[in-house]
Amino acid sequence: MKKRIIMLLLAAAMVSLTGCFNSEIGNDEKENENYVNTTDEDLPDLPNNEAGEGTESIEPSNPAEFDEGLSVTTAIVGENAILNISPVEGALGYEIHVNGTLLEKISETVYSLNNTQINIGLNEISVKAYDETGYIQSGNTTIGKLSTPKAFLGDKVLYVYQNSENAIGYKIYNGDEYITNIRIGETFNLDNPRIQDGAYALSVQAYGSASEGWLPSEKESVSLRPTSPSLSLDEKVLTVSLSSVGSESRPEEETFKVYLNNIEVSSYRVDKNTESITLDLTSNTLTGTDTLFELKVGDVITVESELNVENSDKFKASIVLTKSFFGQEEDNIDDEHICDDQPSIDPNNPSTDKPVIYLYPEETMEISVKLDYNGKFTSTYPKYNDGWEVIAEPDGTISYNGREYYCLFWEGISNVDYSLEKGFCVNGEDTEKFLEDSLKKLGLTDKEANEFIIYWLPKMENNEYNIISFQKELYTDNAELTVSPAPDTLIRVFMAWQGSDKFVEIEPQNLTAPERIGFTVVEWGGSELK
């Protein structure tokens, strides 16, 4: 009797503990750093697996008197579900059944069920009290277990790329040490004082609502970041270089997908020591998994790591097949011809239209501006002679070869396919207001935004809709700007857009800009995608 009283007090304590725990993690508005992480070490000793009398089920001898009114309550604590069973007078013990299968026979009324003992998803838990005649009472409850999330580590940022259904957040561990928790959609930056540089043994665990009976998932190790491929074309052989980072920073195995004009045609699985993949393009063909593809001018071949779940431009590379690949002469473009509306050389290649560069030094100074462009210049002003060597003044006035300019201008044909996967779908008549608001968020002054809008608005405002995406690394990595001396603030705005006769659902972008401090360089441009 004394022992049973002790167990009842323990059950009451566990219910109280559960209420406290739920108040901590069940509130989505609670700050992450206040999250209470309860581990198995926090649990009191519970009478789990103490019966020791085998696991053969007892069949009731008198089913007509079998009572299904047994009360069973559940408390989620850490990685355990605590079953509190209302005592049944005359019972010799209790059977614990999970999804119809006998798990354990116990003699006490508190039972600890670990998340490794149940399946992912909802689990039916049945408790049956028995005496010497058979079952005398039973009760049921439901306990859920979350699926294991998937995450990878890229550029010191942890991304959860495969979410766990019914999760409300994720706990981050370094080794066995709990670090913090993040909510759905958040990332975790490794510039965390609790993680020493290089000491990474990260894992992630999904957690759900304890009040709804969800046990956390099992922990999953975090994969290393995807490999950044680079492409080089020599004669008819395309080489995919994978050695941009050391093998110690690459996954043990990784699959690279090959796309022709955004359609997947083949894939290659390699280990972390593989330095390159070669694609034979002889006979002007590309070998796919099941088909041989005929190549033509303007075709785009892209290679991307399958781990690139965030669709970052850093983990894929593209190349455009020009006329020279097929032994044809390229179009002759006069670099000295100045025309804002210079047409594209090849409609298969996206144009880079009217990028202009403003220079705002804190004092009059000599400045060197160079552009490493993945494409071909079609027009520059003043003439680009392997760079611009100019004198700039704080008001933005630029002096070059005895003339004054307010900006540096260039445009060209790019070897890059710009992306519209994230951005905005804007009604044509609302484009003016949208550009005014967006360019302010992106850091342009009213004067700079005015120049941008008067160039692009006439091309856009009469469309039914405009799909607009402000490019980031996909533009800046393929039009690398080098300014010497280095500016304190660099703002580059590049808009890819396409007219549409219907509204298109698109994931919105978050538009931000650095604060203008000291020597500031600003560039804007865009590309209309056909």
Side-chain angles (χ1 to χ4, degrees), residues 81-289:
I82 310 302
L83 301 181
N84 294 288
I85 307 165
S86 58
V88 177
E89 185 176 355
L92 297 178
Y94 305 88
E95 290 186 355
I96 310 298
H97 295 252
V98 177
N99 298 323
T101 301
L102 176 63
L103 177 66
E104 193 70 41
K105 293 169 63 177
I106 62 174
S107 58
E108 304 297 342
T109 56
V110 179
Y111 184 79
S112 173
L113 187 65
N114 189 270
N115 72 339
T116 62
Q117 296 175 286
I118 62 174
N119 301 325
I120 293 172
L122 293 176
N123 294 261
E124 293 294 330
I125 310 299
S126 177
V127 179
K128 299 180 181 182
Y130 62 89
D131 61 11
E132 63 277 0
T133 66
Y135 297 145
I136 52 177
Q137 278 192 10
S138 72
N140 299 285
T141 189
T142 302
I143 299 174
K145 176 183 175 180
L146 298 174
S147 61
T148 305
K150 300 290 185 182
F152 74 78
L153 184 63
D155 292 337
K156 281 197 167 185
V157 177
L158 186 150
Y159 302 87
V160 177
Y161 65 88
Q162 182 173 309
N163 289 314
S164 177
E165 187 178 0
N166 296 306
I168 61 175
Y170 302 99
K171 291 186 274 187
I172 309 299
Y173 294 84
N174 189 24
D176 294 328
E177 180 186 6
Y178 167 77
I179 301 299
T180 188
N181 71 297
I182 59 176
R183 293 296 181 181
I184 301 294
E186 293 181 342
T187 59
F188 172 65
N189 195 311
L190 264 66
D191 292 333
N192 185 297
R194 297 181 65 181
I195 298 182
Q196 297 180 356
D197 188 32
Y200 306 147
L202 299 175
S203 60
V204 61
Q205 182 182 44
Y207 68 89
S209 171
S211 63
E212 295 179 4
W214 285 101
L215 279 170
S217 71
E218 296 181 30
K219 295 177 184 177
E220 177 72 9
S221 297
V222 177
S223 302
L224 294 174
R225 79 185 198 47
T227 302
S228 299
S230 61
L231 305 182
S232 60
L233 186 60
D234 184 14
E235 296 296 334
K236 298 287 185 176
V237 176
L238 180 62
T239 301
V240 184
S241 176
L242 308 175
S243 56
S244 58
V245 296
S247 60
E248 70 280 358
S249 299
R250 290 171 56 186
E252 288 295 324
E253 290 187 331
E254 190 173 6
T255 297
F256 292 88
K257 297 181 178 180
V258 180
Y259 298 85
L260 179 61
N261 301 325
N262 295 322
I263 299 175
E264 183 180 344
V265 296
S266 62
S267 62
Y268 297 83
R269 188 159 185 82
V270 300
D271 62 33
K272 67 178 184 179
N273 295 312
T274 302
E275 295 185 354
S276 64
I277 302 169
T278 57
L279 305 179
D280 187 357
L281 307 183
T282 54
S283 304
N284 298 333
T285 58
L286 173 63
T287 302
T289 303

Side-chain angles (χ1 to χ4, degrees), residues 497-513:
W497 69 279
Q498 186 177 68
S500 174
D501 59 1
K502 61 182 180 180
F503 181 81
V504 176
E505 291 284 350
I506 184 172
E507 182 180 348
Q509 292 177 296
N510 181 30
L511 305 182
T512 60

Side-chain angles (χ1 to χ4, degrees), residues 300-482:
V300 180
I301 299 175
T302 302
V303 179
E304 177 181 21
S305 169
E306 71 168 354
L307 297 178
N308 187 22
V309 294
E310 294 295 313
N311 196 31
S312 170
D313 300 324
K314 295 181 179 181
F315 308 127
K316 59 184 174 181
S318 299
I319 192 167
V320 179
L321 300 183
T322 62
K323 290 184 176 181
S324 61
F325 174 82
F326 299 91
Q328 304 173 21
E329 290 188 7
E330 295 287 351
D331 296 306
N332 185 22
I333 301 299
D334 183 1
D335 283 344
E336 296 188 69
H337 180 65
I338 308 304
C339 178
D340 285 353
D341 294 319
Q342 179 74 22
S344 300
I345 298 173
D346 189 327
N348 291 303
N349 290 7
S351 61
T352 304
D353 296 328
K354 206 178 187 273
V356 294
I357 302 170
Y358 306 93
L359 306 174
Y360 303 105
E362 293 185 287
E363 58 184 17
T364 300
M365 61 191 303
E366 295 182 357
I367 299 174
S368 171
V369 180
K370 294 182 180 294
L371 190 69
D372 185 7
Y373 179 50
N374 182 12
K376 183 172 183 177
F377 291 122
T378 56
S379 185
T380 64
Y381 185 73
K383 186 177 181 180
Y384 183 87
N385 294 309
D386 194 29
W388 290 290
E389 305 293 333
V390 303
I391 297 175
E393 301 177 24
D395 66 355
T397 301
I398 297 171
S399 299
Y400 180 73
N401 286 345
R403 292 182 62 90
E404 287 188 354
Y405 306 83
Y406 74 92
C407 68
L408 304 173
F409 161 81
W410 69 276
E411 67 178 15
I413 301 297
S414 174
N415 286 333
V416 179
D417 273 356
Y418 299 115
S419 171
L420 296 178
E421 291 191 5
K422 295 182 180 181
F424 311 90
C425 187
V426 182
N427 193 298
E429 62 185 16
D430 297 332
T431 302
E432 176 183 345
K433 182 65 167 62
F434 170 81
L435 291 177
E436 287 177 345
D437 294 342
S438 298
L439 296 176
K440 183 176 182 180
K441 294 177 182 178
L442 290 167
L444 298 194
T445 65
D446 288 347
K447 180 180 178 181
E448 293 158 356
N450 180 70
E451 290 284 332
F452 184 105
I453 292 171
I454 62 177
Y455 178 78
W456 286 111
L457 187 61
K459 305 172 186 290
M460 305 173 72
E461 62 183 346
N462 293 321
N463 294 331
E464 192 72 23
Y465 294 95
N466 293 299
I467 304 170
I468 299 172
S469 177
F470 293 99
Q471 307 294 292
K472 297 181 181 179
E473 292 87 359
L474 189 55
Y475 171 68
T476 57
D477 287 354
N478 288 281
E480 296 183 2
L481 187 64
T482 303

